[in-house]
Amino acid sequence: MRMEEYLNAVTEQIRCTKVRGMVSEELRDHILEQTKAYEEEGMFEEEALEKAVREMGDPVETGVSLDRIHRPQMSVGILVLIGIISLASIILHATLDFSVRKISETGYHEYLSRHILYVLLGYGLMLLVYRLDYSILSRYARRAAAAFLLLILLGMRYFLVTINGAGLYIRLGPVSLFTPTLMILFVPLYGGLLYAYRGRGYLGIGKALLWAFAAGWLTFRIPSISQAMVLWTTCIILTMVAVIKGWYPVSKRRAVAGLGALFLAPVWFWFGTVMFGRVAAYQMARIQAFFNSRSSGDFFVDRMRNILASSRPLMGTAENLTAMKDLPGFDNDYIFVSLIASYGVIAGILVIGLFLLLVVKIFRISLGQKNQLGMILGLGCGIVFLLQLGMSIALPLGLIPSTAVIMPFFSSGGSGIVTAYILLGLVLSVYRYKNILPAENGQGRKRPDVA
């Protein structure tokens, strides 16, 4: 059998068309290397090539074996976890709908139906993103990032809805999009930017950080301090990972030290805006209450602490559910307190455990990737979930000033829920193509093993 006939017979057994060319190239190189070895032993070229092809084995069996390796995969563990988390969020919002909202006599059933709709929509988008090839970001990262920021700017310019001095929503007809959560979608785009600038030294790092600063500044000006911090922190961590992985020919120690110093940049910028009165009045009041008295003076913090202190290990109390109606963000910013008030401290610990298990799985999938772009994208999604979860827990404990926080998959609002599912869909896409897309090092492409 001739080499091309052999390669065609092998690749015909591989159902994933994306990987056929890569496998064919790898097998061809292997055959030609073996042919050269036989020629050096004294064989004629045609005879050496024929022997090298014959020793590759039966093409059908080889193709079937490679098909088992190079096929799209689904992370069943993550699907099970997100199914449990989604169901838990629906049950919690059902409890709030029938208890807290019934007490306040507003939104009875309407909020629950809307939350279920958002979960189903998000789940569908997650499966859609899972089917997409994430490697497209390696080619269009800069254009995609520019288009994303431009659309946000245009939306804030012409379709902005301002509440208490904050431009939190972009309204397109009957649809209102929560701008701070939309900005979190910049994280995977930033991963693509880091990948696009690899090999360019400090100049590449600087260009990537300019994109991160632009997105962080835009989020801060919405204003949304909490999500700006999540966005900036995630971008800095991803840049550190890229430097450590050798994407840029720079001194790793110096680059990481410089990036570590940039963690403080938002802090100084934030203090500067406070000093010069560039924050909204309600934000200044929250900041003053936080620093003047950590244990009292902030009504919302005191109320949440009282609810947490009086919560039982198992199941909630009618008193706590009644008290939740005094917290205007009981289904959003303070959803973690609502969870404990409804089902007890152990339920809160179990949900935290589920989230941490989800994040650990995301990190394991990401760090186990041969493809470096997939690694950085998955890490970015996991870091976002971890930071948002941490802020959702820190807020009711009074560890951070009262601000808008998002507990992924639980906080009400379609934008936050859908964004979380999209990020998870990207993680599943990374897992899907783990044995399909080529492995790469910091400077360029390296073919994968096919044997």
Side-chain angles (χ1 to χ4, degrees):
M1 181 179 291
R2 296 182 180 274
M3 181 175 65
E4 294 302 326
E5 294 176 349
Y6 180 87
L7 295 177
N8 289 335
V10 170
T11 54
E12 283 176 357
Q13 313 307 315
I14 301 176
R15 286 169 287 184
C16 182
T17 56
K18 182 181 292 294
V19 80
R20 287 179 179 176
M22 183 177 63
V23 170
S24 179
E25 182 182 356
E26 177 69 19
L27 291 176
R28 179 181 285 105
D29 288 348
H30 182 75
I31 292 173
L32 293 178
E33 288 176 3
Q34 189 61 45
T35 300
K36 184 178 180 180
Y38 287 145
E39 288 178 356
E40 292 175 352
E41 293 177 0
M43 297 180 67
F44 291 108
E45 179 181 356
E46 185 175 349
E47 181 184 5
L49 181 60
E50 182 180 350
K51 183 176 182 181
V53 171
R54 187 169 57 251
E55 289 187 349
M56 292 294 294
D58 183 86
V60 175
E61 291 182 1
T62 301
V64 170
S65 177
L66 289 171
D67 178 64
R68 286 196 296 267
I69 297 173
H70 299 286
R71 67 169 59 178
Q73 299 189 33
M74 171 65 81
S75 175
V76 178
I78 284 187
L79 278 184
V80 171
L81 268 177
I82 194 57
I84 295 174
I85 291 173
S86 300
L87 181 60
S89 73
I90 292 174
I91 293 174
L92 175 58
H93 279 272
T95 300
L96 297 177
D97 221 32
F98 282 87
S99 300
V100 180
R101 291 194 182 100
K102 181 178 181 180
I103 294 171
S104 62
E105 298 180 354
T106 59
Y108 191 40
H109 295 312
E110 176 186 354
Y111 288 90
L112 174 60
S113 301
R114 191 178 303 169
H115 182 77
I116 294 175
L117 176 63
Y118 291 149
V119 169
L120 294 177
L121 176 61
Y123 208 91
L125 288 174
M126 177 188 72
L127 295 178
L128 176 62
V129 174
Y130 154 75
R131 299 282 300 179
L132 299 178
D133 179 5
Y134 68 84
S135 66
I136 193 173
L137 287 177
S138 66
R139 299 186 295 274
Y140 303 106
R142 281 164 286 195
R143 278 177 279 182
F148 176 80
L149 295 180
L150 179 60
L151 288 174
I152 294 294
L153 284 171
L154 291 176
M156 294 177 65
R157 176 66 177 84
Y158 296 105
F159 305 101
L160 189 65
V161 177
T162 303
I163 300 176
N164 295 327
L168 297 177
Y169 291 91
I170 295 175
R171 181 166 294 168
L172 302 174
V175 179
S176 294
L177 304 174
F178 191 57
T179 316
T181 56
L182 291 181
M183 293 304 303
I184 296 300
L185 291 176
F186 181 79
V187 167
L189 296 177
Y190 185 73
L193 289 167
L194 286 173
Y195 189 85
Y197 288 127
R198 64 198 178 116
R200 301 190 183 183
Y202 288 108
L203 179 61
I205 296 175
K207 287 182 176 180
L209 289 176
L210 284 177
W211 285 97
F213 179 81
W217 176 84
L218 181 59
T219 309
F220 186 87
R221 294 297 298 168
I222 287 173
S224 178
I225 297 175
S226 60
Q227 297 310 303
M229 293 295 290
V230 169
L231 185 60
W232 178 257
T233 301
T234 304
C235 289
I236 293 296
I237 294 175
L238 292 183
T239 309
M240 286 183 172
V241 172
V243 169
I244 294 171
K245 289 290 185 178
W247 288 18
Y248 306 96
V250 298
S251 169
K252 294 182 181 180
R253 182 176 300 179
R254 292 179 180 178
V256 170
L259 290 168
L262 285 178
F263 271 118
L264 299 178
V267 177
W268 295 115
F269 182 72
W270 177 72
F271 272 112
T273 56
V274 172
M275 292 294 294
F276 289 99
R278 298 303 298 273
V279 298
Y282 75 93
Q283 290 179 315
M284 181 63 74
R286 290 177 176 179
I287 294 169
Q288 291 174 344
F290 177 76
F291 284 104
N292 287 339
S293 178
R294 295 284 297 275
S295 59
S296 63
D298 188 325
F299 170 79
F300 296 121
V301 171
D302 286 346
R303 174 66 61 161
M304 286 186 289
R305 285 180 173 177
N306 291 335
I307 292 173
L308 292 175
S310 60
S311 295
R312 298 173 178 174
L314 291 173
M315 298 308 296
T317 64
E319 293 79 8
N320 280 345
L321 288 174
T322 303
M324 288 303 301
K325 70 176 182 178
D326 293 327
L327 294 174
F330 67 86
D331 61 349
N332 198 331
D333 301 333
Y334 313 132
I335 191 70
F336 182 67
V337 181
S338 296
L339 171 64
I340 294 178
S342 302
Y343 292 101
V345 176
I346 293 179
I349 295 175
L350 287 176
V351 168
I352 292 175
L354 288 174
F355 266 109
L356 292 179
L357 183 57
L358 177 65
V359 171
V360 167
K361 283 186 171 294
I362 292 175
F363 285 163
R364 289 185 63 183
I365 287 174
S366 305
L367 295 175
Q369 290 298 308
K370 296 179 181 179
N371 185 279
Q372 295 294 289
L373 176 61
M375 179 273 297
I376 208 74
L377 295 181
L379 278 181
C381 297
I383 292 169
V384 166
F385 288 148
L386 188 60
L387 291 176
Q388 289 183 333
L389 175 64
M391 295 183 75
S392 298
I393 298 172
L395 179 62
L397 297 178
L399 300 178
I400 59 175
S402 295
T403 185
V405 298
I406 299 168
M407 187 172 179
F409 308 106
F410 274 82
S411 292
S412 64
S415 300
I417 294 173
V418 169
T419 297
Y421 280 104
I422 289 176
L423 293 180
L424 193 58
L426 185 58
V427 174
L428 292 175
S429 177
V430 170
Y431 187 84
R432 170 184 170 85
Y433 290 103
K434 68 175 184 174
N435 291 323
I436 296 176
L437 296 178
E440 294 168 340
N441 55 27
Q443 303 299 322
R445 174 172 170 170
K446 179 175 65 179
R447 295 189 188 97
D449 295 331
V450 296

